[in-house]
Amino acid sequence: MFGVVFPNRSFPMDISTFSQIDTFHWILDMNTFVGEAYDQVRELCIFLLNSFTLPADKALAVYIQSPGSPFLFCGAVTLSRPSAVLSLPWPEPGSGGEMRLTASGDAPLSAKIGVSVEDLAALPSLDVAAEKRIERLAMKVGENLFNFMQSFCGVDGSKLVVPMDILDRWFKKFSERAKRDPEYLKGFAL
């Protein structure tokens, strides 16, 4: 049906590595894979195997769960996108809704990766990591603009006043710096 690889950490693993919960849900207990160092595993490559036919309106969704936290959607694969390298932004243990610190008695809960067959239309964007990078980039560029404008601001009562050409000046400076230093824009995408 599907396989996974943890880049630089594992050989390809098939569905037999996962515990099947029901017909459409599988769980990989990260404790059996890396123990408590689950948060060091930052990427997962998931792929459909040739013999598996996923309906066009379905997707294999990937979720992660830190101990005591709810599952967090990471991305998905479909027939039109049969493989993907997904970032694993592990939430802080115990963050979110349920605050369960133990499964039964004293054993601490372990981190998990969940895979499920879901309706494609019900899922958020398939590339969560790309959306997060774009969001960070937009925030950093906006912050750069704000800081530039702030250095030229005057105050008129309760209003900030900026020169009319401030956006043109900022954009020219920003563009010239990006042309001179290719690494400059990379710093915004971190």
Side-chain angles (χ1 to χ4, degrees):
M1 178 174 249
F2 68 89
V4 297
V5 171
F6 294 98
N8 300 319
R9 290 189 162 267
S10 77
F11 292 101
M13 298 184 282
D14 66 9
I15 196 170
S16 67
T17 310
F18 287 71
S19 300
Q20 187 164 4
I21 306 304
D22 61 30
T23 309
F24 301 113
H25 298 89
W26 299 265
I27 296 283
L28 176 64
D29 186 334
M30 292 301 285
N31 199 36
T32 61
F33 180 59
V34 290
E36 292 180 16
Y38 68 89
D39 58 345
Q40 300 302 307
V41 179
R42 306 308 271 159
E43 289 183 317
L44 167 133
C45 176
I46 184 167
F47 51 91
L48 298 177
L49 298 174
N50 292 339
S51 61
F52 179 61
T53 332
L54 188 66
D57 64 336
K58 300 288 185 189
L60 270 182
V62 176
Y63 296 86
I64 57 174
Q65 181 185 44
S66 293
S69 299
F71 277 98
L72 174 70
F73 178 72
C74 293
V77 291
T78 63
L79 275 183
S80 61
R81 184 181 182 223
S83 65
V85 176
L86 305 174
S87 289
L88 303 177
W90 295 99
E92 288 295 316
S95 65
E98 66 221 41
M99 218 13 217
R100 292 185 355 206
L101 298 177
T102 58
S104 59
D106 330 289
L109 290 175
S110 61
K112 294 177 179 50
I113 293 180
V115 177
S116 66
V117 176
E118 298 185 19
D119 290 329
L120 182 57
L123 293 175
S125 170
L126 297 185
D127 197 348
V128 174
E131 278 190 358
K132 296 271 187 218
R133 283 191 300 272
I134 291 167
E135 182 181 327
R136 278 194 307 272
L137 175 64
M139 294 299 287
K140 290 282 202 171
V141 170
E143 181 182 348
N144 183 276
L145 172 60
F146 176 79
N147 290 337
F148 183 81
M149 289 176 65
Q150 193 175 30
S151 65
F152 292 96
C153 283
V155 177
D156 180 16
S158 64
K159 298 178 184 176
L160 290 176
V161 180
V162 294
M164 285 186 56
D165 68 339
I166 195 73
L167 286 175
D168 291 330
R169 290 168 43 192
W170 169 78
F171 188 71
K172 182 178 179 185
K173 180 181 175 186
F174 189 81
S175 299
E176 287 173 357
R177 174 87 188 263
K179 286 177 189 172
R180 272 194 327 267
D181 181 7
E183 297 296 313
Y184 180 63
L185 289 179
K186 289 181 183 174
F188 282 84
L190 296 175

